[in-house]
Amino acid sequence: MRIDIITVSPELIRSPFEFSIIKRAIDKNLVEVFFHDLRTYALNNYGKIDDYQYGGGAGMVLMIEPIDSCISKLKSERNYDEIIYMTPDAPTLNQQTANTLSLHTNIIILCGHYKGVDQRVRELFITKEISIGDYVLSGGELGAAVLCDTIIRLIPGVLGDETSALTDSFQDNLLSPPVYTRPSEYKKKKVPKVLLSGNFPKIEAWRTEQAIKRTKKIRPDLLED
Ligand code: ADE
């Protein structure tokens, strides 16, 4: 899989890709990630990429020409499955979206900044819009990093234990059950007996029951679907 990220702050988004599971995925060539500095495609030598909004109002808007130049260059080099725009005024990211995106070969992620992008960018180039939650970030970079993390960990071979992504929270619209490790007792708090029983059907049944219990309590909305 190849991910191209278009941003005005490449330095802001680089570090999540330099550690842990995501770094290992890149090192193993399971995913390639490229950062494109929008200023490289600026309108002039001063690096102009944004302007005041028509109609007045606070905040600068990213202009269409630099974004068009960058996306058109990438599209002339390969086909893309999706061109995604990170923005708060979009459907919220969920596990289903991450699962679908992890099956793609090439995607572009455009990070918004300031007041966002000229609406015509969204109409002409963007195939999918994603928010990471009902709050406003200073830019799309952190959202793009979150999105990439959710996608990359699902690519086969990225997680050591192939089944562990399948048992994540949300995979069945359920939160994960509680997990424990040694010691079996700590400050009088004991690990549930069933987990020490070695009876795997019973353990599975307990985990499902706990997952449902937790979901009912914390995220009952997930059970409504
Ligand atoms: N840019 C600003 N806020 C955002 C959000 N909540 N999700 C994605 N991109 C954003």
Side-chain angles (χ1 to χ4, degrees):
M1 178 180 211
R2 174 183 169 121
I3 304 176
D4 288 281
I5 299 175
I6 304 171
T7 166
V8 299
S9 306
E11 291 319 312
L12 179 60
I13 192 176
R14 246 182 246 283
S15 74
F17 297 85
E18 292 171 354
F19 299 93
S20 186
I21 289 170
I22 307 301
K23 178 183 188 304
R24 272 211 312 276
I26 293 170
D27 290 347
K28 284 204 242 169
N29 284 327
L30 295 169
V31 62
E32 290 180 294
V33 183
F34 296 91
F35 302 98
H36 306 277
D37 187 343
L38 197 57
R39 280 186 209 285
T40 314
Y41 299 86
L43 287 185
N44 58 26
N45 291 338
Y46 300 107
K48 188 168 182 58
I49 51 169
D50 57 0
D51 212 333
Y52 297 102
Q53 51 177 315
Y54 279 121
M60 304 296 273
V61 176
L62 290 176
M63 303 171 82
I64 193 166
E65 293 100 322
I67 295 173
D68 184 359
S69 301
C70 184
I71 290 179
S72 297
K73 178 173 178 292
L74 291 171
K75 281 173 76 173
S76 73
E77 293 164 350
R78 68 197 61 76
N79 290 324
Y80 284 92
D81 302 294
E82 293 282 12
I83 302 177
I84 300 165
Y85 175 49
M86 301 307 301
T87 178
D89 52 348
T92 312
L93 176 62
N94 59 22
Q95 193 62 44
Q96 180 53 49
T97 303
N99 291 348
T100 306
L101 292 175
S102 75
L103 301 173
H104 290 330
T105 308
N106 300 313
I107 60 172
I108 292 174
I109 303 176
L110 171 65
C111 303
H113 223 78
Y114 316 117
K115 263 286 179 219
V117 297
D118 187 305
Q119 177 60 26
R120 291 164 294 183
V121 168
R122 299 169 74 160
E123 290 165 11
L124 287 173
F125 310 120
I126 299 302
T127 60
K128 190 171 191 63
E129 300 187 330
I130 296 178
S131 163
I132 64 158
D134 292 342
Y135 40 79
V136 178
L137 301 162
S138 307
E141 286 76 13
L142 296 178
V146 168
L147 174 62
C148 288
D149 192 302
T150 64
I151 296 171
I152 292 171
R153 62 194 301 287
L154 295 170
I155 298 172
V158 169
L159 294 183
D161 175 358
E162 284 295 287
T163 61
S164 73
L166 297 175
T167 58
D168 282 345
S169 279
F170 304 113
Q171 280 296 6
D172 295 315
N173 262 5
L174 287 178
L175 302 183
S176 288
V179 293
Y180 298 85
T181 186
R182 276 187 279 230
S184 62
E185 184 171 342
Y186 187 71
K187 294 191 175 171
K188 293 198 176 143
K189 288 281 220 187
K190 287 185 182 160
V191 172
K193 257 202 192 117
V194 59
L195 296 179
L196 309 175
S197 69
N199 181 335
F200 293 107
K202 241 178 148 180
I203 291 173
E204 266 322 294
W206 179 86
R207 285 182 171 150
T208 305
E209 183 192 299
Q210 291 295 316
I212 294 169
K213 220 170 169 179
R214 229 183 207 187
T215 309
K216 266 188 190 157
K217 185 163 177 225
I218 302 170
R219 290 291 307 277
D221 55 299
L222 291 175
L223 295 169
E224 281 161 20
D225 295 345

